[in-house]
Amino acid sequence: MKITENRRILLADDMPSIHEDFRKILCPILRTNNLTDIEDALFGPTEKPTVLEFTLSSAFQGQEAVSMVEESLRQNTPYAMAFIDMRMPPGWDGVETIERIWQLDPKLQIVICTAYADQSWIEVFSRLDARDRLLVLKKPFDPIEVSQLASTLSKKWQVTEEAEFKMNDLEQAVEERTRELSDANIIVQNSPTILYRLRGEPTFPLIYISHNITKFGHNASALLQVSDWMDILVNDADRSKVVTSMARMLEKDAQGASIEFRMHTGDGGQRWVENRYIPVRDGEGKLIEVEGIILDITERKAAEERIAQLARTDNLTGLANRATFTERLHQAFAAARRGATPFAILYIDLDHFKPVNDTYGHPVGDSLLKEVSQRLRACTRDSDLVARLGGDEFAILQGEISEPANAGALATKILSNVALPFVLNGIEIRISASIGICPFLNESAGADAMVVQADLALYRSKEEGRNQYRFHSNELDLAVQERVSIGEDLKNAIEHNELELYYQPQIELSTNKIVGVEALVRWNHPTRGLLNAGSFIAIAEKTGSIVALGQWVLNQACKQMRLWRDSNLAPQVMAINLSLVQLERGKELVRNVIETLERWHLNPGDLEFDVTEAMLAQMTWTRNGVIPQLRELGVKIAIDDFGTEYSSFNYLQAYRVNHLKIAQSMLRDASIDPTSANTIRAIINLAREAKIGVIVEGVETEAQHSFLSSTGTATQAQGHYFSKAVNVAEFSELLQQEIDAHVNYISK
Ligand code: C2E
Ligand code: MG
């Protein structure tokens, strides 16, 4: 704001002539406009001297001057200055008048007018003590002195006023700004938003964080003093994500960004936060600081999660819905294509669900669907996805299956579980289900094609009588059903006494004598007849029956060894096959071996365990110490099927194995292929050097026998050429014959 000029002047003097003089000086009569115009017309516009015009108020006595000042202030038209005569009889003198005026208007500038010293100046000035507003004008005065004083002081008044005004203005602005800042601070402290600043260099030290970080249970000043604020605030799982996005700020053209992470709270909990930040750069684009805000988005996250959950699930049963099923199926398909463990889809439809709905009403129908859902869940593993596709249709994405039979086993479990009675509102309801299965196979065309096939299989299972499952192909149906039923039957085989051990002799080639015997399990299946190990061992391994089966074999073989020992028929060693599952439960196996040996009074050296190279490799990899423990006991170890896998001598030496058994397939090749023959020779020689015995398996022909004899080393062999695996009676017979032959030989 501009202060208007103040040309009001007060003159206090008892002499009227002085007033007139002042008026002439300060209020000159201006020439009329007409004259100015004529002059301009004659001589052209010229610069006119500025004539300052003042408004002069006259007071003839001190009292009068004081009341005029008072009045001027009331009217808000203060004087810019006053000329006060020193002597104004009969009233107050100048000094008193000034004192009183200043009581009213301390800022008023005053010129004391005096002809002679009524008082000494020092006294006057010490009484008045306001040198910056007090001047002296000595009479007789020159008009120019008066006009100069008037002009200068009125100008000074204006400047002072303006300065004061500006000062007030400034103070007010400062006050306002301070108030704004403190308001802003209150807003910041109360807002859910946390502000922070980081220095723009790794490790991004924290240089400011708003006090309201206390909401998260942290202390702002404590955080500023530590260098590992990141560790304190950011959840471990999100840290690398946060570090990466911060590091991006160092790139010259990086813009602000936003990142969500979980923030540790002081009480050990965590909140989801959104961190929005911008880089602050210098003229060259170098990062100086990072400024950001942190918002608590925990509630939003939870809401999003709830919404997503709703979008993913079926309202009635809480199972996954069709959309989720389809999405996960496509993911599983892509993963399996890349080599992940295969999976299977099972389409499940309840049989005769509609009559339940019609007879008992929808609420009961709904309850039934919920109960069925729970049973489906109970039948599956966490890694499986159970979905309701709509109505009474369900689907399962069965993860990580090693063979189609796993899907058949799950289907069998589901069928029997769904068939158990449901009790709803006191009503007992029985229902069954039909299932269509499509396992992922390498030739599967695509996820959607699998759905079509599962659907067709479901249709087939309905067509063919319901309450059953069908695979998408006939052959698979038969194969799987057989495997599944064998697996089921196997569970009872031991209890039903259906297992039997057959024995195959191991012959010392140089003497043609039985030096060992391999126990091979057989199953007298009630409907399928005598089954070789090859047709059920793999199933036993998959279904877990192998553990009990293995124990049974061990016990039975040892028992038989004891019987032969007691009748002096026993060969030197009993070979028993072990499966990976048994080795994996190493402690249990070792304990079992010790107990069984004790039970039948046998020595550990009476037993030799057949394990494959693959099993040894697995044991090494998982650092399972079972083989060394068995060796420690004194039990022998033979490597079965040598030549079909790694054919590495490393394992043999590392585990100090006793025998390696050359696979039948190698021997078969040897008779037609000279390279294979040489390989066998080489293996036998290497083994001899490593002091490992060799047993050649599956010797069937005379040609094979003579080939082995030609190697000229003390090798053992087994195979149909000598004897098939035979039952205990027949094997005892073999042993007996051998003894008889020996006796004959000696007696001859
Ligand atoms: P393996 O240890 O290689 O056993 C040899 C298999 O070859 C036996 O079949 C045997 O009957 C058969 N065989 C022996 N000589 C000849 C021959 O000259 N020609 C032909 N073609 N075959 C011959 P099996 O009994 O069916 O056993 C198959 C596999 O099952 C065994 O292979 C072994 O790995 C496993 N196995 C057998 N019994 C048991 C057992 O009690 N426990 C475990 N875990 N596995 C067993
Ligand atoms: Mg074997």
Side-chain angles (χ1 to χ4, degrees):
M1 181 189 154
K2 185 101 178 120
I3 303 289
T4 46
E5 285 178 63
N6 183 357
R7 299 194 174 279
R8 286 180 295 279
I9 291 175
L10 174 64
L11 173 63
D13 200 307
D14 57 329
M15 303 274 289
S17 62
I18 295 286
H19 286 269
E20 256 164 57
D21 291 346
F22 267 69
R23 203 162 295 280
K24 275 183 204 148
I25 299 164
L26 299 177
C27 312
I29 300 151
L30 292 173
R31 288 175 293 177
T32 68
N33 278 345
N34 274 354
L35 278 175
T36 319
D37 292 346
I38 293 163
E39 189 182 311
D40 284 351
L42 285 173
F43 307 110
T46 50
E47 187 91 13
K48 307 288 182 306
T50 330
V51 182
L52 289 175
E53 202 185 343
F54 295 93
T55 313
L56 191 66
S57 304
S58 293
F60 296 90
Q61 283 293 299
Q63 290 88 335
E64 194 186 355
V66 170
S67 44
M68 284 171 81
V69 167
E70 195 173 13
E71 179 61 19
S72 75
L73 291 175
R74 199 173 41 242
Q75 305 238 341
N76 203 19
T77 49
Y79 294 106
M81 62 162 302
F83 290 95
I84 309 281
D85 187 17
M86 186 61 114
R87 282 171 52 84
M88 290 179 282
W92 300 332
D93 66 2
V95 175
E96 183 162 8
T97 306
I98 292 167
E99 275 175 340
R100 290 187 184 248
I101 285 176
W102 275 352
Q103 278 166 13
L104 294 170
D105 182 359
K107 289 187 290 181
L108 190 62
Q109 309 174 93
I110 296 178
V111 176
I112 299 181
C113 310
T114 177
Y116 45 84
D118 298 87
Q119 281 173 295
S120 83
W121 289 117
I122 293 168
E123 207 181 315
V124 169
F125 275 88
S126 72
R127 255 184 80 184
L128 293 175
D129 186 34
R131 287 159 200 243
D132 61 330
R133 281 164 292 150
L134 193 59
L135 288 138
V136 179
L137 178 64
K138 282 198 178 165
K139 295 176 183 173
F141 42 73
D142 196 304
I144 195 71
E145 284 176 336
V146 173
S147 70
Q148 271 306 109
L149 277 169
S151 306
T152 312
L153 289 183
S154 64
K155 187 72 193 168
K156 186 183 160 206
W157 182 91
Q158 189 187 344
V159 170
T160 312
E161 278 296 293
E162 268 174 5
E164 193 174 320
F165 186 83
K166 275 188 191 141
M167 191 58 99
N168 281 342
D169 222 22
L170 203 64
E171 267 171 23
Q172 205 176 331
V174 166
E175 209 171 275
E176 236 162 64
R177 189 88 185 100
T178 313
R179 200 172 45 241
E180 269 172 23
L181 282 174
S182 100
D183 286 354
N185 200 31
I186 289 167
I187 292 168
V188 166
Q189 299 311 341
N190 291 336
S191 86
T193 310
I194 288 150
L195 313 183
Y196 67 85
R197 277 164 47 224
L198 309 174
R199 187 152 342 116
E201 64 193 30
T203 57
F204 297 101
L206 197 57
I207 46 181
Y208 167 79
I209 186 153
S210 55
H211 180 71
N212 55 351
I213 187 73
T214 45
K215 291 201 173 108
F216 290 87
H218 296 290
N219 179 292
S221 41
L223 280 174
L224 295 181
Q225 276 155 30
V226 296
S227 56
D228 58 345
W229 61 268
M230 186 93 85
D231 295 349
I232 296 173
L233 297 182
V234 184
N235 183 296
D236 302 4
D238 298 330
R239 204 167 299 145
S240 74
K241 176 171 84 172
V242 174
V243 168
T244 314
S245 80
M246 295 305 315
R248 208 163 292 141
M249 289 292 100
L250 296 166
E251 292 164 19
K252 278 216 157 93
D253 50 353
Q255 308 272 308
S258 164
I259 184 170
E260 292 178 0
F261 65 86
R262 279 154 291 183
M263 182 151 117
H264 289 308
T265 54
D267 59 3
Q270 65 173 27
R271 306 282 295 169
W272 267 104
V273 295
E274 181 183 344
N275 175 22
R276 295 183 201 157
Y277 53 91
I278 47 162
V280 180
R281 302 185 186 283
D282 65 10
E284 275 131 42
K286 182 174 167 286
L287 186 67
I288 303 167
E289 280 181 11
V290 175
E291 291 181 348
I293 59 171
I294 291 173
L295 302 154
D296 189 336
I297 54 163
T298 311
E299 271 74 40
R300 192 190 87 198
K301 274 274 178 192
E304 279 172 6
E305 181 53 35
R306 270 198 301 279
I307 291 166
Q309 175 74 15
L310 287 176
R312 283 197 302 263
T313 52
D314 168 56
N315 276 346
L316 179 67
T317 61
L319 295 178
N321 59 16
R322 186 186 287 273
T324 311
F325 177 78
T326 311
E327 188 186 319
R328 288 274 301 272
L329 168 63
H330 279 86
Q331 286 168 1
F333 190 90
R337 265 280 153 84
R338 289 192 300 267
T341 330
F343 65 98
I345 52 179
L346 286 78
Y347 260 44
I348 304 160
D349 196 293
L350 300 183
D351 301 326
H352 307 298
F353 175 71
K354 198 169 171 293
V356 175
N357 239 352
D358 294 347
T359 319
Y360 303 109
H362 282 272
V364 172
D366 283 355
S367 303
L368 179 61
L369 293 172
K370 284 194 218 169
E371 293 279 323
V372 168
S373 307
Q374 276 172 17
R375 290 194 189 177
L376 292 181
R377 266 208 179 123
C379 288
T380 51
R381 291 176 302 183
D382 284 350
S383 51
D384 302 335
L385 178 79
V386 184
R388 177 170 171 240
L389 304 181
D392 60 346
E393 253 185 82
F394 298 86
I396 293 176
L397 189 72
Q398 185 186 14
E400 304 195 351
I401 65 165
S402 52
E403 54 170 359
N406 297 151
L410 175 60
T412 312
K413 195 168 164 192
I414 289 171
L415 290 175
S416 56
N417 269 278
V418 171
L420 297 173
F422 293 88
V423 181
L424 305 168
N425 289 354
I427 311 160
E428 188 180 295
I429 296 173
R430 281 172 190 274
I431 200 159
S432 61
S434 299
I435 303 179
I437 306 174
C438 180
F440 172 89
L441 299 169
N442 286 330
E443 61 271 22
S444 297
D448 297 330
M450 281 181 72
V451 166
V452 173
Q453 290 191 317
D455 215 13
L456 283 174
L458 172 64
Y459 178 76
R460 224 150 52 82
S461 98
K462 289 243 172 212
E463 280 289 286
E464 291 169 21
R466 302 173 205 269
N467 191 21
Q468 58 188 328
Y469 70 85
R470 284 286 176 272
F471 274 86
H472 68 289
S473 86
N474 250 329
E475 307 92 82
L476 209 54
D477 257 350
L478 290 174
V480 166
Q481 279 182 21
E482 172 152 314
R483 296 208 70 163
V484 171
S485 83
I486 287 178
E488 289 293 308
D489 295 349
L490 200 54
K491 286 180 190 157
N492 308 315
I494 300 176
E495 282 164 43
H496 295 175
N497 235 347
E498 292 166 5
L499 296 184
E500 185 181 351
L501 282 188
Y502 269 47
Y503 300 94
Q504 187 173 40
Q506 296 175 327
I507 309 292
E508 178 91 45
L509 280 174
S510 57
T511 60
N512 229 19
K513 281 205 174 127
I514 300 176
V515 284
V517 53
E518 179 171 4
L520 294 159
V521 69
R522 298 288 178 266
W523 181 9
N524 292 295
H525 191 276
T527 55
R528 296 173 197 265
L530 186 71
L531 299 179
N532 279 340
S535 51
F536 63 91
I537 285 293
I539 299 175
E541 280 171 342
K542 293 250 160 69
T543 54
S545 311
I546 193 71
V547 178
L549 185 145
Q551 276 182 22
W552 182 87
V553 169
L554 177 66
N555 185 61
Q556 189 62 27
C558 289
K559 181 180 171 186
Q560 190 54 54
M561 193 66 167
R562 167 61 28 219
L563 291 174
W564 284 326
R565 278 272 158 85
D566 292 346
S567 41
N568 284 326
L569 291 173
Q572 288 165 26
V573 71
M574 170 71 77
I576 294 173
N577 292 282
L578 283 186
S579 97
L580 182 63
V581 185
Q582 289 173 282
L583 286 181
E584 280 168 350
R585 300 163 162 230
K587 275 195 194 130
E588 198 180 318
L589 176 67
V590 172
R591 199 179 338 114
N592 200 223
V593 169
I594 296 171
E595 282 170 8
T596 313
L597 289 173
E598 275 174 9
R599 190 176 311 132
W600 301 110
H601 307 288
L602 295 177
N603 297 318
D606 296 337
L607 289 186
E608 180 163 81
F609 285 127
D610 279 13
V611 297
T612 63
E613 278 189 286
M615 283 154 68
L616 278 192
Q618 180 100 345
M619 291 300 103
T620 311
W621 176 247
T622 57
R623 296 163 198 255
N624 177 324
V626 64
I627 305 279
Q629 281 171 40
L630 289 173
R631 288 295 291 121
E632 199 65 29
L633 267 185
V635 175
K636 296 183 171 125
I637 299 290
I639 304 296
D640 218 346
D641 296 332
F642 191 84
T644 55
E645 280 157 319
Y646 315 89
S647 308
S648 150
F649 270 73
N650 292 345
Y651 292 123
L652 312 192
Q653 276 166 324
Y655 289 114
R656 295 185 292 122
V657 306
N658 304 80
H659 283 109
L660 61 83
K661 301 178 81 172
I662 295 180
Q664 189 188 7
S665 55
M666 279 198 96
L667 182 67
R668 215 177 269 144
D669 294 345
S671 57
I672 43 170
D673 168 21
T675 325
S676 294
N678 287 337
T679 309
I680 291 183
R681 275 196 203 95
I683 290 175
I684 293 172
N685 287 334
L686 274 175
R688 193 179 48 207
E689 270 171 34
K691 299 202 167 37
I692 296 171
V694 172
I695 304 173
V696 182
E697 289 188 281
V699 181
E700 288 181 337
T701 64
E702 177 55 45
Q704 288 169 340
H705 181 233
S706 53
F707 161 71
L708 288 176
S709 305
S710 74
T711 60
T713 42
T715 331
Q716 295 173 23
Q718 61 185 106
H720 292 175
Y721 177 78
F722 308 101
S723 166
K724 288 189 169 174
V726 293
N727 67 23
V728 66
E730 291 171 281
F731 197 82
S732 302
E733 185 77 9
L734 282 178
L735 291 170
Q736 189 61 56
Q737 281 169 13
E738 198 171 78
I739 287 171
D740 293 346
H742 190 60
V743 170
N744 280 341
Y745 172 78
I746 292 174
S747 58
K748 271 179 194 166

